Amino acid sequence: MDLTWSDTEEAFRAEARAWLEEALAAWRERHGGRILSGDTAEGFAQHLDWERTLAEAGWAVVSWPAEHGGRDATRWQWLVFEEEYYRAGAPARITQNGIFLLAPTVFEFGTPEQQAHVLPRMARGDDLWCQGWSEPDAGSDLASLKSRARRDDERGGWVLDGQKTWTTRGAFCTHLFGLFRTDPDSERHRGLTYLMVPLDLEGITVRGFGRLDGDEGFAEVFLDDAFVPDDAIPGGVVLGGVGAGWSVAMATTSSERGLTLRSPGRFTATADRLVALCREQEARLGPDPRRRDRVVQGWMEAEAYRLQTLQTVTDDAEGRPAGAASSLVKLWWSELDVALHETAMDLLGPDAELEGAWSKGWQFSLSGPIYAGTNEIQRNIAAERVLGLPRK
Ligand SMILES: Cc1cc2nc3c(=O)[nH]c(=O)nc-3n(C[C@H](O)[C@H](O)[C@H](O)COP(=O)(O)OP(=O)(O)OC[C@H]3O[C@@H](n4cnc5c(N)ncnc54)[C@H](O)[C@@H]3O)c2cc1C
């Protein structure tokens, strides 16, 4: 396997690096150098300004076709871009639930009309999407969800009832994609439909609530006889057919657990910051073999994840999608993120209380083994569907 980037990819890297450096400096200056978390209302607005900057320059969704707002980049170039993105310390993407979760599903299941409407608006940050799957009694056991969509042929649309919860940044978004029970007599995975819903409809109440770290990045969404007309989205609000929601949703899940949400650039950048932290401490305190061991271990793990990702992309490009094996990828990136941050916290000792970025990153890393399907569930999937062990 040749791991050398080609001249084209290196040129792409140089272009991305130069643009990111300049655009990030300008963005920070526009906001007086005070950038807040994208999980607060004010921070979200700052991040939206950044998203629009990315979109205007054609860097928002590099691997999408140009007609939908991308620049026709290959998967490899996307990885290069992600490396540069995190290396530059660019902010978390507040559009990520749309561009990394809904979009691949729209590419796979959407009609041309849906694609032509949803994708460019998403890329420009005109429509901001949140994921409406979890419910108060349906998390790991998603198939037990109760939110309903009732057909209203007379008015031409769907009437929604129920409650969604844990919707990331839902309070700041304009649209929700979610699963609804459209056959009232159905059970479990059957009779579900994947709907795309504007949040400004009568009968929809979005209530933001705080996370442990104090940011109000979550929302509950209450649906109370809310009517969503078919033409709220040109081409229709149903994605992939009435009653086909479960299999459409599983395509989204594979994106979420697998590559698109967690490109290796994010972890190699964290590992590099860890090395820098170690160097800085050793300059002050002198070398410490135990400290070095942990840092080297973390850095090697991140590098191993990067190499494995190259294999995943190769497989994908050659028509071997990850499928259930994306659960292994999810286990890997989420546990790697915790380990890297724990090492940093250990190195910093009591100073970690004062060092905002590491401490904030550590708190968020702890949610990695929960969201995108908990790691216990991923281990079940890996045991049964990858290793072929019997169901318990
Ligand atoms: C930061 C963050 C962002 C999120 N964003 C979103 C979002 O945008 N949209 C959305 O819809 N949801 C979102 N979620 C919700 C997330 O998907 C759920 O929290 C997750 O699926 C677990 O569901 P639950 O919280 O109901 O826990 P439960 O399902 O109640 O699980 C509780 C515990 O029991 C374990 N468990 C349950 N069943 C089994 C089993 N069969 N075998 C072994 N162990 C089991 C779980 O692993 C877990 O440890 C987010 C969560 C977090 C933390």
Side-chain angles (χ1 to χ4, degrees):
M1 192 183 192
D2 182 4
L3 295 174
T4 325
W5 295 112
S6 69
D7 289 349
T8 317
E9 280 140 6
E10 287 299 358
F12 187 84
R13 180 189 296 284
E15 192 188 348
R17 183 175 291 192
W19 182 82
L20 279 165
E21 195 177 323
E22 201 174 309
L24 277 169
W27 173 65
R28 291 196 182 107
E29 203 180 308
R30 273 206 298 286
H31 297 284
R34 192 171 156 269
I35 303 297
L36 304 169
S37 154
D39 291 311
T40 62
E42 198 187 333
F44 190 88
Q46 291 178 335
H47 283 63
L48 187 54
D49 172 37
W50 169 247
E51 288 293 336
R52 298 210 160 120
T53 306
L54 280 168
E56 272 160 30
W59 291 106
V61 283
V62 294
S63 60
W64 291 14
E67 61 172 314
H68 296 317
R71 55 169 64 204
D72 287 317
T74 63
R75 283 280 229 162
W76 306 105
Q77 286 171 324
W78 172 72
L79 279 176
V80 167
F81 176 72
E82 292 276 300
E83 279 182 8
E84 290 305 315
Y85 192 86
Y86 286 105
R87 199 197 59 84
R93 305 288 305 269
I94 52 152
T95 48
Q96 69 181 21
N97 281 342
I99 59 179
F100 294 146
L101 302 186
L102 176 60
T105 323
V106 172
F107 275 115
E108 193 173 344
F109 295 94
T111 64
E113 201 182 351
Q114 286 173 322
Q115 291 177 352
H117 177 82
V118 173
L119 297 170
R121 292 187 59 81
M122 182 193 288
R124 286 196 303 266
D126 293 345
D127 296 339
L128 297 156
W129 291 87
C130 62
Q131 182 186 30
W133 286 18
S134 305
E135 297 184 1
D137 295 316
S140 299
D141 187 14
L142 184 62
S144 65
L145 66 86
K146 293 195 183 71
S147 288
R148 284 181 46 188
R150 186 165 34 86
R151 185 70 204 153
D152 184 336
D153 278 331
E154 218 162 277
R155 288 191 284 173
W158 298 88
V159 180
L160 311 180
D161 281 290
Q163 183 190 345
K164 298 288 178 183
T165 191
W166 307 121
T167 49
T168 295
R169 302 189 195 99
F172 318 127
C173 288
T174 60
H175 287 68
L176 169 142
F177 60 92
L179 280 182
F180 293 85
R181 199 162 288 286
T182 41
D183 176 355
D185 301 323
S186 66
E187 284 184 2
R188 310 288 304 158
H189 311 83
R190 291 176 206 89
L192 299 174
T193 299
Y194 197 122
L195 293 176
M196 300 183 283
V197 181
L199 283 169
D200 61 356
L201 302 173
E202 203 174 312
I204 298 190
T205 310
V206 181
R207 196 172 70 192
F209 64 96
R211 300 190 312 205
L212 267 185
D213 67 2
D215 294 350
E216 68 266 32
F218 279 129
E220 291 176 298
V221 180
F222 300 91
L223 307 141
D224 186 13
D225 255 344
F227 178 70
V228 51
D230 293 328
D231 60 6
I233 301 285
V237 292
V238 171
L239 190 57
V242 175
W246 189 257
S247 54
V248 180
M250 286 308 103
T252 304
T253 320
S254 169
S255 300
E256 183 173 21
R257 291 174 187 162
L259 201 58
T260 51
L261 208 54
R262 294 297 170 252
S263 63
R266 176 173 155 193
F267 308 108
T268 48
T270 308
D272 286 344
R273 281 204 302 130
L274 195 57
V275 173
L277 176 66
C278 183
R279 279 214 180 96
E280 185 251 308
Q281 287 198 328
E282 295 208 342
R284 274 192 297 123
L285 309 167
D288 171 350
R290 193 185 142 272
R291 185 195 297 131
R292 282 190 173 190
D293 270 3
R294 290 196 63 176
V295 172
V296 169
Q297 188 63 37
W299 189 89
M300 279 176 18
E301 278 274 332
E303 190 60 15
Y305 179 74
R306 186 178 80 85
L307 295 175
Q308 173 60 35
T309 305
L310 298 178
Q311 183 63 57
T312 311
V313 171
T314 306
D315 287 347
D316 193 53
E318 292 174 2
R320 294 185 301 274
S326 60
S327 290
L328 303 177
V329 179
K330 203 262 148 155
L331 285 167
W332 195 344
W333 63 249
S334 57
E335 292 183 358
L336 171 61
D337 204 27
V338 174
L340 291 171
H341 283 91
E342 272 179 1
T343 304
M345 298 305 279
D346 194 31
L347 258 58
L348 284 162
D351 288 352
E353 295 289 322
L354 307 171
E355 215 286 328
W358 278 115
S359 149
K360 187 102 179 156
W362 173 67
Q363 288 175 47
F364 188 73
S365 75
L366 297 178
S367 67
I370 301 172
Y371 68 86
T374 67
N375 283 11
E376 290 81 3
I377 297 293
Q378 304 316 309
R379 287 196 159 84
N380 279 345
I381 295 173
E384 289 161 17
R385 308 231 306 268
V386 182
L387 302 177
L389 297 176
R391 283 180 74 91
K392 262 179 73 179

